[in-house]
Amino acid sequence: MQLLIQCCVLWFVSPEGIEALCNDVNVNHTDVRMLIFAWKMKAEKQGYFSKDEWRRGLKCLGADTRPKLKKAIEGLDKELKVPECFEDFYSYAFQYCLTEEKQRSVDIETICELLNIVLKSEFPNQVNLLVEYLKVGKQLFKLIYVQNDYRALNMDQWRSFYRFFKEVDFHDLENYDSSQAWTVIIDNFVEWLKEKEKN
Amino acid sequence: MVLHKFGEKLYSGLVATMTGHLKEIAKSVEAAQGAEFYRVESQKFIECCDCGDYLKKAERRLNEEIDRVSHYLDPRTEKKITNVVEKEMIENHMLRLIHMENSGLVHMFSDDKYDDLGRMYNLFRRVPDGLSKIREVMTEHIKETGKQLVNDPERLKDPVEFVQRLLDEKDKYDKIINFAFNNDKSFQNALNSSFEYFINLNPRSPEFISLFVDDKLRKGLKGVSEDDVEVTLDKVMMLFRYLQEKDVFEKYYKQHLAKRLLSGKTVSDDAERSLIVKLKTECGYQFTSKLEGMFTDMKTSQDTMQGFYASHPELVDGPTLTVQVLTTGSWPTQSSVTCNLPAEMSALCEKFRSYYLGTHTGRRLSWQTNMGTADLKATFGKGQKHELNVSTYQMCVLMLFNNADRLSYKEIEQATEIPASDLKRCLQSLALVKGRNVLRKEPMSKDVGEDDAFFVNDKFSSKLYKVKIGTVVAQKESEPEKQETRQRVEEDRKPQIEAAIVRIMKSRKQLDHNNLIAEVTKQLQSRFLANPTEVKKRIESLIERDFLERDENDRKLYRDPDVVSLKTRCCFFIVICITIRTNVVGCEEVLTCASNLQSIVGDSNILPFYLEQGIANTIGCLQREGCLLRGEHNLLGEAFLVMASVAGIQQQQEVLAWLLEPLSQEWTHSEWQDKYLSEPYGLVYLFSEAQVMWSSFHSVTFFDKALNRSGIKKANWNPENSSTPDSTPINPILIKYFVLSGSCSYFPATSHYTLSLVSICTSNFTWRDPSCNDHE
């Protein structure tokens, strides 16, 4: 542990530090495993790890030497196999993107990237469709819902995506009930999917 | 020999039994024959009679049978026999009769055949499902004709005619149900639900009903007796009850009422008031508080004008100014418009402005030049004199011609600064309308163009001395106006939905999605039909702002988060009150402020609007309705005081004044005073009644904080130094407040404290209250 901490120049591992770390363990900083690592650490601020967070992360991974850390990070994606863990991680991923103090929502671009990072492996098809909808539908809905153009989404909406993918079969959209407690954006997404299928 | 002895008995017994049997057989044969007989007969009749005739025949047969039974059959058989007739003649042919071409039920309705309908009702009620069949057909028929009526473009051209047709239809069916259907409740209900169905098919129904009322109140009810006026208004109320979008009606009604009041064109003040009372009874105080505010403003303005001329006697010889001061929020929102008044008028208006602001500090006045009228005395080229009744815009244009013979469109535009579309309309009405063309236009084209030039029409003539040119009559809205109104209505609904959601979640603590939607819809039903998708959007918006949270495990369950502090919730309600009641500030901006009290305090520009009387009424009314807890009420007041403290000492005093208003009403009551404050031991009684005690405690604590915040030192308070002349009710209250605050700080008061309290009170404070007869 001592060895690794000495590796960090600052107590706050900064973006440069993280980049160095990524190079060391040979994992891209946009890789989902870095995000999982941040989650393990319960890192609060994007791009920075505090000393406590760093310690926590290393302890979780059981790594006290550089090679051990590299190995641990490489294997991090297996951590998400447990559904409860995944839900927690999934919410965390959104939280991590909130950079400003009173920020409640994240812009569409980042959402799309995040979806790709976090959900693509499990739901490749669905993620592609949703991303397409968010990017294209944004234009369309500006016309119809004057008040509701989706420039940014909040935590509640983010959470509903994962639940939706888990619970609803895309081939069986006829049974989807929009009077249920799904978020309005999901209702609109389903409408768009149905239209798409017709054409 | 045995036979002989018992012979009689046996014989008579046998006879009795045989007779009995025979009767039974006779009955059955009769019945069987009857059935067959009636089956055949009914078949014969139905082929050759129309519905009305058939029914007559059926009725006759029925009556015959009943007669027969009463004459020579066992009365117990009546039911059996009539059943046969009913079954064969009526039940088996019900549908065929109802739907008979050219004479069936629908035709009876159309032709008001009361007799036939009555007969059908009486006959059909004897058979199972008979009446429900009639009801079904009636409902369908009314819905169909109603649907055609509301979708017919011809009918929709004249709103007043349209509504009259609706009333006529209702009258027609009321009569039918009364004369023919025995006032049957189930038919009344069917009628009501049918009307409700088709009236709401046309989204313009609320607007048209309001226009109908406008027409009646403007001229339709002229010279009509009071009773007949009531009858008409009651009929209107009945249509109003069918409306689902009552808030749309409210919006239009407000607009139309404003025009009527401002142009002085209402036929009867009593009729107006009567309708408002009816609306209040139907929909509650909320609905009509703003409308009543409009009447109050008119009255107050009269008084203000009197005061103005009384204090400026030198102005009596000049042009007469009549100003109506409208409280923003009670009147329909108007955007402020530019308009340069002629010099004579603007000087006069400035004098009024300073007079008014001199007596009402902390208010802002803005002239609504698009709503006024003017009377001008004009002399034309050949000496013709006329008095012209024009709109303010038209006055501005015409006055320019006092100093110029010819004016181009551009010159007029520059001089008056009236917006282009309004100016064009104004010039059209002055130059292009026959009989009212006080101006002449070159070139003589139909429309007003930007290169046109205008002259006074020296050849103007009219048979009347007084010529009316301005028009401020309520009309059916144009398409873009309609869209705008609709949008505003939708915007106004958002805070109402949110308030309903928060209120429900506050009392239920947790609720699942479908039930929440159902509750919200029910709560809002008296105003409008809530769209489930819109409610969903509001729920999500509230989740985002932490007024609501979704359960972790069951995403269909919502929870009221305890985390939302009372203060935040309070801000939310202030904002909702303000948005709903004043419609002044844009809903979105104000709602985003709700999550942060700082933001509201910082924006002291909004403050002057909020200090109008309407807000105090709103808070009071919400409390009366039980929507505000005492804690919230206090926090609302506190929030206002905080805002006021930012705005200035005068605003603070004003806020304090109206916060004290409800309290002063309670505490100035002589009974209250006699009971608790006329002698030192009165305080003992005060503390022994828990409810009064708590209530006073809360009030006093609140004002304690309020006064501390405002920096007014208790000990130095001198009632004679109070600045505003009309604040006399405050003084005695504040004095008594101090007494109570001193005592209440020893809370909880048990009996052995009370004596010590009393002695403290009487020693610390002296009663320096000249306006009150109380004594130490």
Side-chain angles (χ1 to χ4, degrees), chain B residues 12 27 50 288 310 361 429 526 678:
Chain B
S12 52
K27 264 187 266 165
D50 69 16
T288 51
T361 49
S429 59
S526 60
S678 55

Side-chain angles (χ1 to χ4, degrees), chain B residues 55-211:
Chain B
L55 288 173
K56 281 203 186 87
K57 287 195 162 59
E59 190 184 55
R60 207 184 64 219
R61 282 289 179 226
L62 199 60
N63 289 337
E64 280 173 10
E65 290 296 345
I66 293 174
D67 221 26
R68 199 174 307 162
V69 169
S70 74
H71 278 138
Y72 54 79
L73 280 179
D74 190 337
R76 287 173 294 178
T77 60
E78 180 180 320
K79 199 71 191 90
K80 240 194 207 157
I81 295 186
T82 50
N83 276 352
V84 169
V85 184
E86 285 158 11
K87 184 162 185 340
E88 296 304 327
M89 292 212 82
I90 304 171
E91 194 176 341
N92 288 350
H93 299 286
M94 264 201 307
L95 288 175
R96 188 164 168 180
L97 282 168
I98 287 177
H99 295 292
M100 202 175 264
E101 264 200 54
N102 297 329
S103 64
L105 186 55
V106 167
H107 290 273
M108 290 191 207
F109 282 135
S110 311
D111 300 334
D112 290 328
K113 290 211 157 31
Y114 298 130
D115 282 338
D116 287 343
L117 286 166
R119 192 165 298 120
M120 188 184 259
Y121 180 80
N122 283 322
L123 288 174
F124 279 41
R125 84 198 298 193
R126 291 167 160 272
V127 301
D129 272 350
L131 289 188
S132 63
K133 289 263 178 323
I134 300 182
R135 230 189 351 256
E136 244 175 70
V137 173
M138 182 183 87
T139 309
E140 269 319 298
H141 176 66
I142 297 178
K143 281 189 183 170
E144 247 330 289
T145 38
K147 199 156 132 176
Q148 279 170 15
L149 177 62
V150 304
N151 287 330
D152 182 357
E154 272 305 307
R155 292 246 187 249
L156 297 175
K157 281 194 184 151
D158 183 353
V160 180
E161 256 312 296
F162 170 78
V163 175
Q164 190 58 51
R165 269 293 273 129
L166 289 176
L167 290 174
D168 293 340
E169 272 293 292
K170 181 75 175 25
D171 265 344
K172 175 196 176 81
Y173 282 97
D174 277 340
K175 277 213 192 83
I176 288 176
I177 294 178
N178 191 3
F179 292 149
F181 292 164
N182 200 24
N183 265 329
D184 188 324
K185 225 3 165 60
S186 65
F187 280 84
Q188 264 298 339
N189 292 343
L191 175 63
N192 286 339
S193 67
S194 313
F195 262 74
E196 194 176 317
Y197 166 78
F198 74 75
I199 282 186
N200 288 301
L201 287 178
N202 184 347
R204 298 195 83 166
S205 293
E207 184 193 349
F208 286 2
I209 295 177
S210 177
L211 283 168

Side-chain angles (χ1 to χ4, degrees), chain B residues 233-278:
Chain B
L233 293 182
D234 281 332
K235 289 202 172 136
V236 169
M237 280 311 295
M238 173 217 28
L239 283 182
F240 171 77
R241 267 179 221 117
Y242 293 138
L243 286 175
Q244 273 168 356
E245 301 199 296
K246 294 188 170 70
D247 59 344
V248 176
F249 175 87
E250 187 192 350
K251 219 174 205 37
Y252 282 111
Y253 190 77
K254 209 157 80 135
Q255 281 176 16
H256 300 154
L257 177 63
K259 290 199 174 118
R260 282 201 298 278
L261 285 176
L262 292 177
S263 57
K265 280 282 183 301
T266 181
V267 130
S268 152
D269 227 27
D270 286 336
E272 295 271 5
R273 297 248 182 213
S274 168
L275 187 57
I276 305 253
V277 168
K278 290 185 206 292

Side-chain angles (χ1 to χ4, degrees), chain B residues 55 104 137 180 206 366 435 473 568 700 751:
Chain B
L55 288 173
V137 173
S366 59
V473 185
T568 319
V700 156
S751 53

Side-chain angles (χ1 to χ4, degrees), chain B residues 515-563:
Chain B
N515 280 329
L516 180 57
I517 304 258
E519 284 282 334
V520 169
T521 312
K522 201 164 80 158
Q523 259 202 29
L524 294 170
Q525 182 183 348
S526 60
R527 301 265 312 156
F528 58 89
L529 193 60
N531 175 350
T533 310
E534 192 54 51
V535 178
K536 225 199 215 188
K537 284 194 199 150
R538 292 298 106 216
I539 292 175
E540 280 176 34
S541 173
L542 287 171
I543 291 177
E544 196 177 315
R545 285 177 281 147
D546 285 335
F547 281 98
L548 204 58
E549 62 187 15
R550 227 185 261 270
D551 186 87
E552 275 301 318
N553 303 319
D554 181 1
R555 64 163 167 72
K556 291 194 279 294
L557 200 62
Y558 299 110
R559 263 217 290 271
D560 169 53
D562 302 311
V563 127

Side-chain angles (χ1 to χ4, degrees), chain B residues 15 186 420 636:
Chain B
V15 166
S186 65
L636 273 173

